[in-house]
Amino acid sequence: MVMTMAETKRDYYEVLGISKGASEAEIKKAFRQQAKKYHPDLHPGDSAAEKSFKEINEAYEVLSDPQKKARYDQFGHAGVDPKFGAGAGGYGGGGFGDMDFDLGDIFSSFFGGGGRRANPNAPRQGTDVAVSVVISFEEAAKGCKKQVKVTAVESCDSCGGSGAKKGTSPRTCPQCHGTGQEVRQQRTPFGVMQTQGVCSQCRGRGRIVDTPCPDCGGSGQVRKTNTVGVNIPAGIDDGQVISIRGKGNAGQNGGPAGDLQVRVSVRPHPIFERERFTVWCDLPLTFAQLALGATVEVPTLEGKVEMDVKEGTQPGDLLTLKGKGIPYLNGRGRGDLIFRVAVEVPKNLSGEQKKLLRAFEDATGDKNYQKRRSFFDKLKDSFK
């Protein structure tokens, strides 16, 4: 049996010195460390270092791409390398003569290699970035401006996004002429097949970077953290998302950046509750205030105001202040502020207070209690 070059390839995880379950961040960190260690500029004329550097770039290209990584994890090199499996003696099975049977191309046709692909150098929009911001109940009602930390991919300043070291430029792939695809004819057990798959020389990019930029490792992009100001409109509710165009990850090949998605979380208020644009508040009053009527001081989103409580107000009644709730997001009007009336029964009464209260009870007849009188009248009728 003749051993081919593809069969002697090292495991990509071994090349980067990481385990199979490594995260995206761990893969990127390992790549940077290894690329810096074997970079050609640090080892001029060292063919072994140059070979290792190319091997590291090849491993990172596969493991940093979720789709390629998934194929590699399932099928190994055969899932990502079109040349894998092409032995020197071809297919040796009985009845097929000297037909060459390239497993790599078969995998390529099944896993995304078939069909015509878009221009790999065409502009592509960047992906969105999501962050969260926490604000107070009042800030949600009135609107505010917040500063958020955003970590996103940006075009590399050192190479201008080309991926090539400053002073050099990428070159068009001589094998696919910039298309990122190559057509191959194969003799298989089923006859001659023509397949179109990812270019084996440029890996579908359509161009080749001979001397990668040391700052971005040849990707043309770097990850940075910046502070972004977010204008939060009055009336926003918990869980709503503000989209800021162009503040996400940078695009590729001159494509526009993605958007920044800011999810808003509103802290609960100690006394106010929100239902869409209506604000609710429990208002504890005394028996005397409800019975005699009173002018009481109540809280609003703008501060305290005075409100009249009518004589004979009952527990559970709703007292409404129109237009004192949450502003509508369109800026046209506001909801209401509604108070639910509750009665607090006094505790720890003194002897004198109890005496006065009993005198009041004795002086009060059933005619003063409509609900109580109605209840007992119904009770009498039920037990006749």
Side-chain angles (χ1 to χ4, degrees):
M1 178 179 179
V2 179
M3 186 72 71
T4 67
M5 290 298 293
E7 291 173 306
T8 61
K9 272 191 174 183
R10 293 174 61 201
D11 178 74
Y12 286 150
Y13 290 101
E14 180 185 342
V15 170
L16 295 182
I18 55 177
S19 62
K20 191 172 182 179
S23 65
E24 180 182 348
E26 290 171 334
I27 292 172
K28 192 166 190 176
K29 181 180 179 181
F31 165 71
R32 286 180 173 175
Q33 290 174 343
Q34 295 292 339
K36 185 176 181 180
K37 182 178 179 181
Y38 291 102
H39 198 281
D41 288 351
L42 301 178
H43 306 277
D46 188 339
S47 59
E50 182 180 355
K51 181 181 177 181
S52 296
F53 186 74
K54 289 181 179 180
E55 191 178 39
I56 291 163
N57 275 280
E58 180 181 324
Y60 179 68
E61 183 181 356
V62 171
L63 299 183
S64 63
D65 185 315
Q67 292 182 345
K68 291 181 181 179
K69 181 176 181 295
R71 295 203 300 267
Y72 179 74
D73 288 345
Q74 187 172 5
F75 301 105
H77 292 293
V80 294
D81 187 348
K83 293 182 177 180
F84 185 85
Y91 182 80
F96 296 106
D98 60 352
M99 293 181 182
D100 290 328
F101 190 46
D102 192 334
L103 284 175
D105 288 327
I106 297 299
F107 277 114
S108 177
S109 65
F110 276 104
F111 298 102
R116 185 175 298 275
R117 294 179 63 190
N119 180 1
N121 296 315
R124 284 186 290 172
Q125 183 173 5
T127 55
D128 292 348
V129 174
V131 297
S132 298
V133 62
V134 180
I135 62 175
S136 68
F137 191 95
E138 290 85 355
E139 287 174 327
K142 300 176 183 179
C144 61
K145 185 170 183 177
K146 291 290 184 179
Q147 303 291 323
V148 296
K149 296 283 188 180
V150 179
T151 301
V153 171
E154 297 182 6
S155 179
C156 177
D157 293 331
S158 300
C159 65
S162 70
K165 184 181 178 181
K166 191 173 183 180
T168 67
S169 300
R171 58 186 173 92
T172 301
C173 176
Q175 184 160 322
C176 66
H177 305 291
T179 65
Q181 296 279 290
E182 62 181 356
V183 177
R184 295 182 291 274
Q185 289 187 339
Q186 304 166 300
R187 299 179 65 190
T188 74
F190 312 104
V192 177
M193 293 182 63
Q194 179 173 296
T195 59
Q196 178 174 315
V198 175
C199 175
S200 58
Q201 188 165 345
C202 68
R203 306 296 182 186
R205 294 184 176 180
R207 58 183 185 172
I208 296 174
V209 177
D210 294 310
T211 308
C213 170
D215 292 335
C216 65
S219 68
Q221 296 182 325
V222 293
R223 188 173 293 274
K224 293 183 179 179
T225 300
N226 296 309
T227 301
V228 177
V230 181
N231 290 314
I232 299 177
I236 197 163
D237 206 349
D238 183 65
Q240 289 186 318
V241 176
I242 300 172
S243 181
I244 304 178
R245 188 173 297 277
K247 292 296 184 179
N249 288 319
Q252 294 182 338
N253 304 323
D259 299 335
L260 174 62
Q261 307 291 346
V262 183
R263 182 180 180 85
V264 177
S265 296
V266 181
R267 287 193 295 268
H269 195 277
I271 61 172
F272 292 136
E273 298 174 11
R274 177 174 176 175
E275 184 180 347
R276 290 181 58 80
F277 299 101
T278 300
V279 177
W280 293 84
C281 181
D282 290 327
L283 180 63
L285 298 174
T286 68
F287 173 79
Q289 286 174 321
L290 297 183
L292 303 176
T295 298
V296 297
E297 197 175 62
V298 295
T300 71
L301 293 171
E302 288 76 30
K304 295 180 179 179
V305 299
E306 289 188 341
M307 182 176 66
D308 291 330
V309 178
K310 293 182 180 179
E311 178 181 326
T313 296
Q314 299 296 311
D317 283 356
L318 303 179
L319 307 179
T320 301
L321 291 180
K322 291 287 186 180
K324 290 293 185 179
I326 303 294
Y328 299 138
L329 284 171
N330 61 12
R332 301 176 182 175
R334 296 176 60 171
D336 298 331
L337 171 57
I338 303 177
F339 294 95
R340 289 181 289 245
V341 175
V343 176
E344 184 176 0
V345 178
K347 296 180 180 180
N348 303 316
L349 297 176
S350 66
E352 182 64 22
Q353 289 170 331
K354 291 178 180 179
K355 181 179 178 181
L356 292 172
L357 194 55
R358 290 192 181 98
F360 170 79
E361 177 69 13
D362 293 340
T364 305
D366 286 346
K367 63 179 181 180
N368 298 113
Y369 297 101
Q370 294 181 0
K371 289 184 179 181
R372 182 173 182 274
R373 183 177 59 189
S374 175
F375 173 81
F376 284 106
D377 284 347
K378 292 176 181 178
L379 191 64
K380 289 177 183 179
D381 293 338
S382 298
F383 288 93
K384 281 183 179 179

